[in-house]
Amino acid sequence: MTNYRVRFAINFTADAGQELLKPTADGKWEPYIKIGPLDAMTTNFAGFDKTGDKLYLLDSRDRDTAALEYIDLKPKRSI
């Protein structure tokens, strides 16, 4: 079954950076990741894995080249 719910949005900042936003329970948006203007040229979001628990991206933050990375979106459980 395909799930078409919106999970994130991208906003461009005044300094030419990017901000990944996630929806809140009350229908507003909150910042999730901020990307500076230099890294915004080479950092791109690529999609989700089949479970929807990982967000893949080409990420150049804190490095001089882009690398395929993922962000684990699954909430961490405390014991």
Side-chain angles (χ1 to χ4, degrees):
M1 180 166 130
T2 303
N3 184 341
Y4 292 109
R5 72 185 161 102
V6 175
R7 308 248 229 128
F8 293 100
I10 295 177
N11 186 37
F12 295 96
T13 61
D15 66 353
Q18 294 180 6
E19 188 173 49
L20 186 67
L21 306 169
K22 70 176 188 171
T24 62
D26 61 355
K28 297 183 180 178
W29 294 90
E30 66 182 10
Y32 188 70
I33 297 173
K34 291 188 179 188
I35 302 167
L38 292 177
D39 289 322
M41 293 187 285
T42 52
T43 297
N44 300 294
F45 301 97
F48 299 94
D49 72 338
K50 287 185 179 184
T51 66
D53 293 334
K54 293 179 183 164
L55 172 63
Y56 290 103
L57 66 152
L58 292 172
D59 192 356
S60 66
R61 295 173 299 159
D62 299 323
R63 61 177 74 228
D64 60 351
T65 60
L68 181 61
E69 300 276 342
Y70 74 89
I71 299 169
D72 189 355
L73 302 172
K74 199 179 215 181
K76 305 282 188 245
R77 288 189 278 167
S78 56
I79 298 174

